[in-house]
Amino acid sequence: MNKSEFLRQFHHIRLVNKEPDFPLKNSGKPAAVLIPIVQYQNELKVVFTVRAKHLKHHGGQISFPGGKQEQTDKTLMQTALRETYEEIGIPPEKVDIVGSLPKYRTVSGYEVSPYIGFLPGPLNLVLDKNEVDETFEVPLMFLLNHQNHLIHWIKRNNDHTPIYFIPWQQHNIWGATAAFVRNLSHHFYGNK
């Protein structure tokens, strides 16, 4: 798949369901992430970060670059781009935002807006070691394939809720990050 094929399938008119999120009692704190898709000659890959282990919240977990909206951010898209620059050194002008996914409420009280952005590869990342221990890339086609999504069901408020896991090499992408991937995959393979 290349960028043109991605855009043709992502920007469609059919309604796509979203994965269930955490039912917050009040509005969540606004946050945003960037789903960075790197364009290589024959392949598209997605960049993930491994959060620094010393962080108080979600240390060592797999995520997309992003965070909470600051007062200086005029939009949530600005939040995603600012956080991406701060965490992994990608300047906002290098990112071609092509769309977004539905907001997703998390158990930690955030309402996250995921933005999809294309970048020319190869990348020359500069990690903020205070926030990110490492990054890795996963082929987009692997991520979109529902056969690579493992599901663990939990009981929450007398209801069964899926928690998704996407194993990749020594990494395990799960939780909200996997749900973002899952929501993106519905644009290509429907809700299976």
Side-chain angles (χ1 to χ4, degrees):
M1 176 182 302
N2 61 33
K3 183 178 178 181
S4 303
E5 293 164 339
F6 177 93
L7 292 173
R8 189 170 39 258
Q9 291 183 38
F10 180 71
H11 294 292
H12 52 74
I13 59 171
R14 73 179 182 277
L15 182 63
V16 176
N17 291 334
K18 72 175 212 138
E19 293 302 323
D21 57 5
F22 189 77
L24 298 174
K25 291 184 171 128
N26 299 309
S27 295
K29 297 170 277 200
V33 298
L34 178 70
I35 300 175
I37 301 175
V38 186
Q39 296 174 256
Y40 292 101
Q41 189 171 2
N42 299 316
E43 184 175 34
L44 298 176
K45 292 187 175 185
V46 178
V47 178
F48 291 88
T49 64
V50 178
R51 291 174 52 84
K53 289 177 184 61
H54 71 268
L55 292 174
K56 184 178 177 182
H57 300 289
H58 311 291
Q61 291 184 5
I62 309 301
S63 65
F64 289 117
K68 67 179 180 178
Q69 186 175 32
E70 301 291 346
Q71 289 182 347
T72 55
D73 299 330
K74 293 180 180 160
T75 66
L76 285 166
M77 184 178 6
Q78 257 189 350
T79 300
L81 292 170
R82 175 186 52 75
E83 289 280 350
T84 299
Y85 180 65
E86 290 174 4
E87 291 178 16
I88 59 176
I90 297 173
E93 62 272 12
K94 295 280 188 192
V95 182
D96 179 17
I97 299 288
V98 298
S100 63
L101 296 172
K103 291 182 179 182
Y104 187 89
R105 298 169 300 177
T106 67
V107 70
S108 52
Y110 287 94
E111 189 172 64
V112 183
S113 296
Y115 290 90
I116 301 161
F118 275 82
L119 307 156
L123 298 178
N124 182 18
L125 301 178
V126 179
L127 307 187
D128 176 351
K129 288 299 194 173
N130 192 45
E131 293 194 54
V132 177
D133 277 345
E134 65 177 290
T135 62
F136 63 95
E137 296 180 4
V138 181
L140 177 65
M141 294 307 291
F142 177 89
L143 293 169
L144 296 180
N145 186 341
H146 286 184
Q147 292 180 355
N148 297 321
H149 303 179
L150 307 177
I151 305 172
H152 174 73
W153 292 91
I154 62 168
K155 193 168 185 176
R156 182 188 291 151
N157 299 329
N158 294 321
D159 197 15
H160 284 84
T161 302
I163 304 292
Y164 290 99
F165 294 84
I166 306 170
W168 173 256
Q169 297 174 350
Q170 75 272 24
H171 300 291
N172 196 11
I173 303 160
W174 68 283
T177 303
F180 300 151
V181 170
R182 183 91 175 163
N183 283 338
L184 178 61
S185 73
H186 294 326
H187 286 269
F188 297 85
Y189 297 109
N191 300 5
K192 295 178 183 174

